[in-house]
Amino acid sequence: MAVGIKDVAKIAGVSPASVSRVLGGGSVSDKVREKVLNAVKATGYRPNMAARRLRSNRTETIGLIVADLVNPFFTAITQAVESAAYKAGMRVMFCNTGEDPEREEMYLRFMQEERVSGLIVAPTALGLKSLSKWSFDFPLVLIDRARDKEKFDVIVMDNQTAAKELVTHLHSQGYQRIGGLFGATSITGEQRKEGYIDAIHSLGLKPEIKSLPSTAIVAQKELEAWFASPDRPDAIILSNSLFTRSALMAARATGLQIPDDIAIAGFDDEPWSSLVDPGITVIRQPVEMMGKEAVSAVIQRIESPNAPLRRLMLSGECVIRGSSRKR
């Protein structure tokens, strides 16, 4: 038979109410807490989460909706959020939209139905525009993707500055024609493109831009055509790791040598970035810090619903490798 709170209370020699207070994080004496926890361990008691959800608006669960799990960056974000939530005594309920706004809307409703304690979202471009129309009964934190003015707490990297840093680095290495391939379905792609354009103009150069959905196959075909053109740039910036990998494949397919024929710099320091030869110059994003701060923002918003909105903009780190070697 299933073990209940009354069974735990009987073995601990305390009231069922005291057991509930201990399990719910309430205030009890250290002696009572120790008795209850020992009884829980002895009986193998597991709380009925469904029943607890009906009794309380708090599920001790953080929802996480990311835009594309195929992108290794979001795999890393998921791991970072889960790790931070676990340390905070919270669970994570995870959904992947695949950059589909309709799936995103479905998962937002799902999180409402599940009565999560808080929600962390890396939204699609269309979803980001419509989020302000929603009425959530739990805290929502935007991670990685957000505009300048939001009505939610925001944890992002400074994408514009990071893109400018890559342009400046390539120019300092002697490259004059610096192209850029940017994601067309996310605000991060837009922000990185804006930073690229600002830096190019400040250096008196001409922007050479392409924007695509973040799909590796489509990107590789586009890059192969670009690389095979006699008018190709002598360096290129890729706005995500999928595009960077596609650029390597396109260079191989068209017989180009990196960086002798074309230099490459991108975003996200994936494990393979330092294993290929030459290694890839990238902006390393503060993924673990983003996950930790997003979970912290959810918990702080639960505890202080009326606190001022928080916007945390973290800095990336430019990791220089052989793919952008001096000409």
Side-chain angles (χ1 to χ4, degrees):
M1 296 179 61
V3 177
I5 283 182
K6 291 182 179 179
D7 300 307
V8 175
K10 184 176 181 180
I11 290 178
V14 299
S15 68
S18 295
V19 175
S20 294
R21 280 196 294 272
V22 171
L23 297 178
S27 177
V28 297
S29 68
D30 291 340
K31 185 177 181 180
V32 169
R33 186 179 302 280
E34 183 179 1
K35 286 183 177 180
V36 170
L37 293 178
N38 287 338
V40 167
K41 184 176 181 180
T43 59
Y45 171 74
R46 293 292 182 272
N48 186 328
M49 298 308 296
R52 180 180 291 185
R53 186 176 302 157
L54 291 174
R55 293 193 299 268
S56 171
N57 287 328
R58 291 289 299 276
T59 62
E60 305 302 326
T61 299
I62 294 177
L64 174 63
I65 300 177
V66 299
D68 186 10
L69 199 56
V70 173
N71 187 332
F73 169 76
F74 288 115
T75 304
I77 280 291
T78 300
Q79 292 175 331
V81 168
E82 190 281 330
S83 177
Y86 175 77
K87 292 176 181 177
M90 309 273 290
R91 301 173 302 169
V92 174
M93 185 178 293
F94 164 75
C95 293
N96 171 44
T97 68
E99 297 285 9
D100 183 346
E102 290 186 4
R103 282 172 65 182
E104 183 174 67
E105 182 175 344
M106 177 187 72
Y107 288 139
L108 287 170
R109 297 191 187 283
F110 169 73
M111 293 297 180
Q112 287 184 316
E113 293 166 359
E114 289 298 309
R115 301 171 72 180
V116 295
S117 298
L119 179 60
I120 299 170
V121 183
T124 61
L126 288 177
L128 182 58
K129 294 179 181 178
S130 63
L131 271 178
S132 60
K133 300 176 184 178
W134 288 71
S135 179
F136 298 104
D137 56 0
F138 48 71
L140 186 145
V141 174
L142 296 177
I143 190 170
D144 180 55
R145 298 177 172 186
R147 299 183 187 278
D148 291 337
K149 295 182 179 180
E150 301 286 356
K151 72 172 189 176
F152 308 106
D153 295 311
V154 168
I155 310 295
V156 292
M157 187 185 77
D158 188 346
N159 290 296
Q160 291 181 321
T161 297
K164 290 178 182 179
E165 191 169 359
L166 287 182
V167 172
T168 302
H169 164 67
L170 288 170
H171 185 258
S172 71
Q173 296 294 87
Y175 299 96
Q176 296 294 316
R177 293 191 56 198
I178 304 171
L181 178 62
F182 300 94
T185 58
S186 73
I187 186 64
T188 54
E190 294 179 22
Q191 291 168 341
R192 290 168 187 176
K193 181 169 67 175
E194 290 171 2
Y196 161 87
I197 292 173
D198 287 347
I200 288 289
H201 285 160
S202 69
L203 293 170
L205 305 178
K206 179 182 177 182
E208 300 180 51
I209 298 171
K210 293 184 183 293
S211 295
L212 293 174
S214 295
T215 304
I217 295 177
V218 174
Q220 184 176 336
K221 290 182 178 179
E222 184 70 27
L223 286 166
E224 284 181 14
W226 201 3
F227 289 178
S229 167
D231 198 37
R232 71 170 181 265
D234 54 21
I236 188 169
I237 289 172
L238 297 311
S239 70
N240 59 56
S241 61
L242 291 179
F243 285 172
T244 305
R245 189 172 61 191
S246 296
L248 294 179
M249 299 297 291
R252 179 182 298 176
T254 54
L256 298 184
Q257 297 296 313
I258 300 171
D260 297 336
D261 298 314
I262 186 165
I264 287 179
F267 282 78
D268 301 327
D269 191 19
E270 300 301 325
W272 56 263
S273 301
S274 61
L275 297 177
V276 296
D277 186 21
I280 309 300
T281 294
V282 294
I283 294 292
R284 178 184 292 154
Q285 299 202 64
V287 177
E288 290 189 11
M289 182 62 68
M290 291 174 73
K292 179 180 178 181
E293 291 294 341
V295 171
S296 176
V298 167
I299 295 173
Q300 289 178 24
R301 183 60 56 187
I302 291 172
E303 296 174 348
S304 304
N306 299 318
L309 287 177
R310 181 185 182 202
R311 183 181 181 88
L312 179 60
M313 183 174 288
L314 302 170
S315 297
E317 177 189 358
C318 186
V319 181
I320 299 172
R321 300 190 177 108
S323 68
S324 60
R325 187 172 58 241
K326 197 173 186 66
R327 300 208 83 178

